[in-house]
Amino acid sequence: MPEGLKREDLTRHLFDIAGVIEMALERDGRINFINSHGARLLGYEAEEIIGRNWFDSFLPEGIRGECRDAFAGIMAADTEPGKPHECLVLAADGKERLIRWHSTVIRNDEGRITGLLNTGEDITGRRQAEESLRRISERQDAILQTVPDIIAEVDADKVYTWLNDAGIRFFSEDAIGREASHFFEGEQNTYNQVRPLFEGQDDTFYVESWQRRRDGRKRLLAWWCRAIKDARGNITGALSTARDITDLKRAERLIRDSFEMTKAILDNMDAIVYVADLENHEILYINEYTRNIFGDVIGKICWQALQSGQSGPCDFCTNDKLLGPDGEPAGVYNWEFRNTISGSWYDIRDQAIRWIDGRLVRLEIASDVTRRKLYEQKLATTMRKLEDSNRELEQFAYVASHDLQEPLRMISSYLQLLKQRYADKLGGDAEEFIEYAVDGASRLQRMINDLLEFSRIGTREEKRRSVSSEDSLETALAKLKLAIADSDARVTHDDLPEVKADAIQLTRLFQNLISNSIKFRSEEPIQIHVSAVKENSYWRFSVRDNGIGIDPAFKERIFMIFHQLHPHHQYPGTGIGLAICKRIVECHGGRIWVESEPGEGCTFHFTLPEASNNED
């Protein structure tokens, strides 16, 4: 013992420098000693603690009774305390600390227990660290067990030592303890592929391997493997994650096959097909047809590669027409253009679509219509010539029929004079011959008048407007009043619609058809009925009679000009009435036809456009 240092002082010094709490309790629970470390931990000076009841002053209220009873039991039993115990203590700042206590009884010279000596270690930080580690471990375990990917650990012999829940669901619980190759499907060189990992050449490795699932089905797994090493750097196994990529590979194959099929279709199209970025005009795709015309222009700017003489984006660029107000694709935009490089005309269909990477691009499909354009130009030229020819023919027919009127009137007049003055002097035959000549002249005059009317039919397009077909029919019946009365004909009609037509020509159409029914009547009383039904944007009119009928073999011939099915002496006429009907109907954009059988009457049908709702 150092000189001048008493035994009590040495003990107190050792207690003070110890990193633990040293505290003595009397039998009534009062503190009669505490070292400086213990006082600091509780947040007091030692003098403030000595003499205070330990249970009432320094234990949380919830455990005071339990601890006091345990202490009283030790004092009464006259035995040593049991194993170490942990207990919360209450510091001056109100915070609780977890202390691990080792206790021993204090005896007097007679061996009677006079108190309890306690050595306490503050384990609050350690317990907090252990709790943090526990929570981290639980969190990591939850992650490992809930991820859909397989996570597996194998030892150096490639035997499964651990699997997460996904791995157990795939392989089964029996997989742990079995070599990984047990689950290989078919002949595989997977082990050869991962040898660099187990030989230390690579720390990580990726491999795809066909594996047999617990239900017997084979699946393709993608493995990401990492070597496990001990403290000396020796490889003791591997930790791997695996994902079932069977469906992904199948989808990739379908996409690849679909792309190849689409590419084959586009490459076999006789049309320019290309895709260009809407923002920077970069060409992203072309088909073979485009490559044959412009070369390999992928990656180039469309207005530089596909046009000539452009110093910037084309004035006719359709990009601004392909997106709606919301910035999304607005459908197909169709237009025509003549390319400055190929010199050909194209019918173009542009559309904004989403490219593989999600950006908006322009898909353009351009069909060469140069030949069609040439045909259209030739057709336009032919149509102009035809229109000129028709005008000349109409003018010729008008002039010819008009100019023939005067000499024909002169011939007819002199024949009449000849008949009046000399018929009784020339004999019976001469009078008959004069009658034939007069009748022929009259017929010729009627034919010329009808021909003149026929030539004028197509020249009144500006007169077509919304008219009442019923009014036109009534006008026609008024003009035929005498013929109807003389033949005792009965003409009826349904309610008739308004149509877009020339009122005068529509009246003539009804007049000619009803006259035709009266002329070709049978022995029965004449019955004529007019009706109309709606068919899309047209009205189909029907004029039905109970006359002698027509052989279906002649249903086209009757509409030809100057064609008659019966002798003139039996049914007089010029043979142009139905031809005029046909021309009127066709000039109005409709068609006319007849349904009939000999002896069963006729039904003439014709169509006319419905009246417009927006006419002034």
Side-chain angles (χ1 to χ4, degrees), residues 107-124:
R107 297 177 184 273
N108 59 15
D109 294 340
E110 290 81 19
R112 180 175 173 271
I113 295 177
T114 59
L116 194 66
L117 179 64
N118 301 281
T119 301
E121 178 186 4
D122 186 358
I123 61 172
T124 306

Side-chain angles (χ1 to χ4, degrees), residues 31-213:
I31 303 169
N32 62 20
F33 172 78
I34 189 168
N35 67 344
S36 58
H37 179 78
R40 285 194 302 273
L41 188 143
L42 293 174
Y44 297 95
E45 295 293 334
E47 291 78 9
E48 298 178 277
I49 298 176
I50 301 299
R52 296 175 65 177
N53 186 280
W54 170 252
F55 302 104
D56 295 335
S57 301
F58 301 103
L59 294 185
E61 186 176 354
I63 63 171
R64 289 174 186 174
E66 179 184 352
C67 293
R68 185 181 283 112
D69 292 343
F71 176 75
I74 294 173
M75 295 297 101
D78 197 20
T79 60
E80 291 291 333
K83 59 184 179 180
H85 65 283
E86 297 175 359
C87 179
L88 291 172
V89 300
L90 192 63
D93 58 5
K95 295 181 179 180
E96 295 179 352
R97 310 290 296 180
L98 183 63
I99 309 299
R100 183 176 178 81
W101 296 101
H102 295 265
S103 301
T104 184
V105 295
I106 302 174
R107 297 177 184 273
N108 59 15
D109 294 340
E110 290 81 19
R112 180 175 173 271
I113 295 177
T114 59
L116 194 66
L117 179 64
N118 301 281
T119 301
E121 178 186 4
D122 186 358
I123 61 172
T124 306
R126 184 201 311 168
R127 186 56 54 85
Q128 290 174 343
E130 289 174 352
E131 181 63 21
S132 297
L133 288 173
R134 185 188 63 78
R135 287 197 297 268
I136 292 172
S137 177
E138 287 180 352
R139 189 180 302 117
Q140 290 176 338
D141 187 63
I143 293 171
L144 293 176
Q145 297 300 346
T146 56
V147 293
D149 292 341
I150 297 170
I151 303 177
E153 183 180 356
V154 297
D155 59 19
D157 295 325
K158 305 176 186 65
V159 172
Y160 284 124
T161 57
W162 178 83
L163 287 167
N164 71 340
D165 286 350
I168 290 174
R169 286 195 300 269
F170 188 92
F171 293 112
S172 83
E173 299 84 348
D174 297 337
I176 297 175
R178 286 192 168 187
E179 189 176 349
S181 62
H182 175 77
F183 300 94
F184 289 175
E185 180 65 30
E187 294 294 328
Q188 299 189 58
N189 62 344
T190 306
Y191 277 178
N192 289 332
Q193 289 179 279
V194 299
R195 181 176 293 130
L197 183 73
F198 285 89
E199 290 180 352
Q201 300 175 27
D202 294 310
D203 288 337
T204 59
F205 201 83
Y206 173 81
V207 65
E208 294 179 4
S209 174
W210 285 99
Q211 306 275 294
R212 187 173 63 259
R213 201 164 63 182

Side-chain angles (χ1 to χ4, degrees), residues 457-510:
I457 289 175
T459 63
R460 294 172 52 88
E461 186 171 353
E462 72 282 355
K463 301 294 184 180
R464 296 172 196 162
R465 55 178 55 88
S466 179
V467 298
S468 168
S469 60
E470 192 162 324
D471 289 348
S472 295
L473 175 62
E474 294 295 345
T475 303
L477 294 178
K479 291 184 177 183
L480 294 171
K481 184 176 181 180
L482 291 178
I484 293 173
D486 290 344
S487 61
D488 198 22
R490 184 169 182 269
V491 182
T492 59
H493 64 84
D494 296 339
D495 292 336
L496 300 179
E498 289 196 352
V499 293
K500 184 179 181 181
D502 181 323
I504 294 176
Q505 292 182 353
L506 181 56
T507 297
R508 184 57 187 268
L509 175 60
F510 281 126

Side-chain angles (χ1 to χ4, degrees), residues 262-277:
T262 303
K263 184 177 181 299
I265 292 172
L266 295 178
D267 283 342
N268 280 280
M269 286 180 63
D270 288 334
I272 292 173
V273 181
Y274 76 91
V275 174
D277 189 290

